Amino acid sequence: MASERERLHNLFPDLDFDPEQLRNRYRQERDRRLRNDGESQYIETEGEYAHYADDDPYVEPGYERDPLDLRLDVVVIGAGFSGLMTGARLKERGIDNFRIIESGGNFGGTWYWNRYPGAQCDIESYCYLPLLEETGYMPKEKYSYAPEIYEHVKRVGKYFDLEDRAVFRTRVTQVKWLEDEAVWQVSTHRNDKIRSRFVIQATGPANRPKLPGIPGIRSFHGKSFHTSRWDYDYTGGDHNGGLTRLSDKRIAVIGTGATAIQCVPFLGEYAKELYVFQRTPSSVDLRGNKPTDATWYKTLEPGWQRKRRENFAATLTGQNLGEDLVADGWTDIARRILLSLRNRDTDGEALDMEELALRSEIADFQKMNEIRGRVDETVNQPHAAEALKPWYRQFCKRPTFNDEYLETFNREKVYLIDVADAKGVERITETAVIANGVEYEVDCIIYATGFEITTDAHRRVDFDTIGCGGLSLYDHWRDGFRTLHGLSSHGFPNWFTIGINQNAFSPNMTAMFDDQAMHVSYVIDEVKRRGKRSIEVSAEAEETWVQEIIRLAGTGPLSFLNDCTPGYYNREGTASQGTRQNTGYAPGINVFNDLLKDWREKGNLEGMVLN
Ligand code: NDP
């Protein structure tokens, strides 16, 4: 049997790097950043920190209204893309007696809150913006900026006549199943009296800002805010820049994820001094945005958007052996793997899983070598360049795409402060950020520290959901999510959720939300059509689905995640059995959608009990 080195040489005779050296480097870099406190290093945005989440800089303060008294068919909680799509799909089925309750001042969710300068979606707009065919809208560019997305959100709301169904600036405080009446009682902070037959929770995966538990964080006397609550009164300007009020300000940015990559170029341009505190560098690939070719767009045949989304998903999961329609930085590694398989010359030897894994790893190393090479080509200062190189596999963290970020570090008065060895910023005082023992006096701290995406499910919403027998949803999920298809749980009749756990995960979230919205509205329609009071997942069907999710997650994704540098993808390096239970449906969104379609076509609502 060939040794590993011989095998490597046989498969890749022209390799110009040593994979083992890279593996070692990746391990060292991961270990440098691993912390004992894992996810508990973050503090909840409540109590004295609540304003980081509760402040809404995009509306006039002081809004009051009379409490509502409503009896509804459906309450949808959340008016981001998932709630919006749910409203749209309910409408399509003729279900009209519903409300969408939302804490923000308009539709949009992520795109309502995230208005920081440069905010942009890095998923291609033709895949990401939903209902392009229905609304007849042509995106301006391949990658849309936040204002265009926000406008599209409102366009969809108008198209489906959802504005009258929306209850904005209202926070749900409790959802409780009243068994005798078979209805949900939905309480809000505005004392509304709402009874609804069905509840659909569409609160989104990135709705709650996350704060690092840096000692002294409360003591800072200057200005501070989270990127999802951008204060343009303080910075001046708008999404396109013009942050002129920063010309005499020293700014600290904490965090260098997908958000920071987009706003740092603007801060670098306008701030008097900018300090970027980086624990782990992002992989920053080319953006290469371009205007939409209107002639091409006109040639697209009906049904093109679903096909394009499916093509994107299939390419990402290695299920597309044909044309890669999106062909961008997301699908690059998949293209490389495919090419490597096409050029395979191993004397008719069958491809085994080990070889496939090795080919994938080599494609990843090559991709990341290019990403690191790009840093050297762009950043003049060797220390900064070295620190900006990411040493991990591309999908260990959310890949980013930007053509201005790296160059920002060539500006005078922009300083990269590498805090990897200290595993983060050390301390915050009344006037300064302290890192590596050095005090950086600043006027403003901007937290680009992300969202509570994988932390405890209850932490991510303000309210409890009480089902049959007074059971809290979060007690039911204490040891991990328990659902059928990621959409509903035993003990919670007429209750559904749109989300990312135990169903097919895709980075193109609007696609997954839309398919879930279609499915849930079908189930609700069936209950109504069949003249039943309620529907509930059976305990057996729920358990079977949980075990299926765990089985399909196998050990592959888990060991991949454990080798990764810490971050929210691997629960700060603590990915475990529980992580497998909370993952998506491993074969991917296209296979999952086929499964749901088959389930609907069978027509017996398998695994669910009607009453
Ligand atoms: P992330 O969670 O990706 O990044 C948070 C950043 O804060 C990381 O760089 C993290 O470092 C850093 N950090 C946390 N604690 C400390 C500390 N104590 N000291 C120093 N640094 C610290 O948040 P983002 O807002 O950037 O992105 C969140 C998600 O939002 C993305 O993953 C993506 O899903 C979505 N998004 C999507 C965009 C799009 O184009 N579609 C654009 C922007 C966001 P470390 O990595 O070391 O933990």
Side-chain angles (χ1 to χ4, degrees):
M1 204 154 143
S3 71
E4 173 151 3
R5 192 161 279 278
E6 281 166 349
R7 181 163 212 217
L8 196 68
H9 182 73
N10 291 343
L11 294 177
F12 307 98
D14 303 325
L15 214 56
D16 58 356
F17 59 87
D18 178 357
E20 195 48 33
Q21 253 178 24
L22 281 178
R23 284 185 201 120
N24 283 336
R25 178 79 194 257
Y26 285 14
R27 271 192 287 270
Q28 283 162 14
E29 295 283 342
R30 176 199 61 188
D31 294 348
R32 263 174 95 194
R33 294 171 174 88
L34 268 176
R35 292 172 53 133
N36 294 331
D37 50 359
E39 285 183 322
S40 61
Q41 67 182 280
Y42 298 104
I43 41 181
E44 286 189 62
T45 44
E46 58 174 26
E48 53 184 348
Y49 304 103
H51 63 282
Y52 284 105
D54 291 350
D55 282 1
D56 183 346
Y58 315 123
V59 288
E60 291 296 321
Y63 167 76
E64 297 291 340
R65 65 162 171 78
D66 291 334
L68 303 170
D69 189 350
L70 297 169
R71 281 199 86 91
L72 302 167
D73 280 338
V74 188
V75 160
V76 180
I77 307 173
F81 266 127
S82 55
L84 192 72
M85 302 311 299
T86 303
R89 299 307 179 190
L90 287 171
K91 274 258 174 164
E92 275 185 343
R93 290 196 171 269
I95 300 169
D96 206 21
N97 180 26
F98 66 88
R99 291 291 182 279
I100 305 176
I101 304 179
E102 162 64 45
S103 60
N106 211 320
F107 294 113
T110 286
W111 300 105
Y112 175 83
W113 294 109
N114 287 281
R115 304 187 191 194
Y116 58 83
Q120 183 183 37
C121 182
D122 55 22
I123 300 290
E124 190 201 59
S125 60
Y126 319 123
C127 285
Y128 184 79
L129 292 180
L131 302 165
L132 288 177
E133 292 185 69
E134 289 84 341
T135 57
Y137 181 68
M138 181 184 86
K140 292 180 196 154
E141 291 163 290
K142 188 167 166 80
Y143 303 98
S144 296
Y145 283 97
E148 184 184 16
I149 303 173
Y150 186 43
E151 284 311 307
H152 188 66
V153 164
K154 289 188 274 182
R155 180 176 300 112
V156 171
K158 206 178 187 61
Y159 182 85
F160 284 96
D161 203 9
L162 296 174
E163 287 133 323
D164 293 347
R165 308 288 177 288
V167 181
F168 295 129
R169 302 186 72 172
T170 301
R171 281 198 308 276
V172 169
T173 51
Q174 193 194 54
V175 177
K176 188 174 180 190
W177 178 244
L178 306 180
E179 283 180 55
D180 295 343
E181 297 171 52
V183 292
W184 288 97
Q185 174 185 285
V186 180
S187 312
T188 74
H189 86 297
R190 295 197 184 276
N191 298 321
D192 299 314
K193 271 176 70 183
I194 301 176
R195 300 273 164 109
S196 176
R197 287 190 63 193
F198 299 90
V199 164
I200 304 175
Q201 185 169 327
T203 41
N207 65 334
R208 202 159 183 99
K210 193 168 76 177
L211 274 188
I214 300 169
I217 188 168
R218 279 292 289 151
S219 61
F220 187 62
H221 281 180
K223 176 81 183 170
S224 71
F225 56 86
H226 186 270
T227 45
S228 64
R229 305 290 185 273
W230 196 273
D231 189 342
Y232 282 107
D233 278 347
Y234 179 81
T235 64
D238 59 22
H239 174 272
N240 297 312
L243 313 178
T244 49
R245 291 187 192 155
L246 297 185
S247 60
D248 59 350
K249 303 282 191 306
R250 299 157 301 174
I251 306 290
V253 172
I254 298 182
T256 50
T259 297
I261 301 306
Q262 295 178 338
C263 67
V264 157
F266 292 87
L267 293 167
E269 184 178 348
Y270 289 99
K272 181 179 165 207
E273 289 167 21
L274 175 65
Y275 299 89
V276 179
F277 293 87
Q278 171 193 278
R279 188 165 61 187
T280 315
S282 278
S283 72
V284 189
D285 204 351
L286 282 173
R287 168 72 306 162
N289 204 3
K290 52 182 185 215
T292 303
D293 175 349
T295 316
W296 162 75
Y297 202 74
K298 279 196 200 108
T299 64
L300 296 170
E301 306 264 337
W304 69 266
Q305 191 175 28
R306 174 162 285 276
K307 284 204 187 109
R308 196 171 181 92
R309 285 171 159 186
E310 287 177 355
N311 179 279
F312 179 60
T315 308
L316 283 179
T317 47
Q319 294 157 342
N320 175 22
L321 302 180
E323 190 186 359
D324 168 9
L325 294 174
V326 171
D328 69 358
W330 283 96
T331 56
D332 194 4
I333 286 189
R335 277 200 307 281
R336 286 165 197 254
I337 297 170
L338 203 60
L339 192 69
S340 146
L341 290 173
R342 280 205 191 115
N343 295 340
R344 195 167 173 268
D345 176 19
T346 48
D347 292 335
E349 226 179 90
L351 177 74
D352 56 31
M353 289 314 282
E354 228 175 277
E355 184 187 330
L356 185 62
L358 187 59
R359 285 186 182 275
S360 307
E361 191 189 26
I362 297 295
D364 201 312
F365 283 146
Q366 286 167 334
K367 174 81 199 170
M368 292 303 279
N369 279 342
E370 285 176 19
I371 299 265
R372 290 185 283 265
R374 193 170 169 239
V375 179
D376 278 330
E377 282 160 24
T378 317
V379 179
N380 302 334
Q381 216 266 46
H383 278 299
E386 210 40 47
L388 283 161
K389 288 180 194 163
W391 297 98
Y392 48 81
R393 290 184 67 161
Q394 194 197 18
F395 291 106
C396 278
K397 279 196 178 279
R398 172 100 177 181
T400 75
F401 308 88
N402 193 284
D403 298 337
E404 289 86 30
Y405 176 75
L406 293 171
E407 270 179 18
T408 303
F409 294 96
N410 294 337
R411 283 181 182 274
E412 270 185 51
K413 313 275 170 56
V414 174
Y415 306 96
L416 181 75
I417 317 296
D418 181 353
V419 296
D421 284 327
K423 302 179 199 291
V425 165
E426 193 177 310
R427 173 168 292 281
I428 291 174
T429 67
E430 287 180 11
T431 55
V433 177
I434 299 183
N436 310 322
V438 179
E439 191 168 334
Y440 299 90
E441 294 249 340
V442 292
D443 301 295
C444 171
I445 301 175
I446 299 176
Y447 293 100
T449 43
F451 303 89
E452 304 255 354
I453 296 177
T454 51
T455 47
D456 178 60
H458 200 180
R459 228 175 115 129
R460 288 183 264 138
V461 287
D462 289 327
F463 59 90
D464 202 352
T465 298
I466 314 284
C468 296
L471 178 69
S472 159
L473 179 66
Y474 303 101
D475 282 336
H476 186 56
W477 287 354
R478 176 166 290 145
D479 299 324
F481 280 80
R482 302 194 57 78
T483 68
L484 172 65
H485 301 151
L487 299 172
S488 46
S489 284
H490 177 64
F492 298 83
N494 289 4
W495 179 91
F496 301 90
T497 183
I498 308 287
I500 63 171
N501 303 95
Q502 294 191 350
N503 48 40
F505 181 76
S506 160
N508 185 17
M509 295 215 180
T510 54
M512 48 186 282
F513 295 156
D514 191 15
D515 287 313
Q516 292 175 40
M518 280 189 225
H519 187 77
V520 167
S521 50
Y522 159 82
V523 177
I524 291 178
D525 197 22
E526 284 304 298
V527 180
K528 286 171 68 84
R529 252 180 12 88
R530 298 179 196 203
K532 298 293 183 178
R533 264 162 60 108
S534 67
I535 190 162
E536 182 187 347
V537 175
S538 73
E540 299 73 39
E542 182 184 86
E543 175 60 15
T544 305
W545 186 252
V546 169
Q547 292 311 323
E548 180 71 346
I549 290 292
I550 293 173
R551 182 184 72 78
L552 288 169
T555 50
L558 194 59
S559 79
F560 175 89
L561 286 173
N562 278 327
D563 285 343
C564 281
T565 189
Y568 74 86
Y569 277 23
N570 65 0
R571 307 192 73 174
E572 304 302 331
T574 64
S576 63
Q577 178 71 15
T579 317
R580 278 170 72 189
Q581 182 168 335
N582 293 349
T583 55
Y585 180 74
I589 185 167
N590 293 345
V591 182
F592 180 71
N593 284 342
D594 287 345
L595 181 142
L596 290 188
K597 190 161 166 265
D598 289 347
W599 188 91
R600 291 194 297 270
E601 278 171 6
K602 269 195 205 159
N604 61 349
L605 305 169
E606 195 173 11
M608 302 196 86
V609 181
L610 284 162
N611 282 306

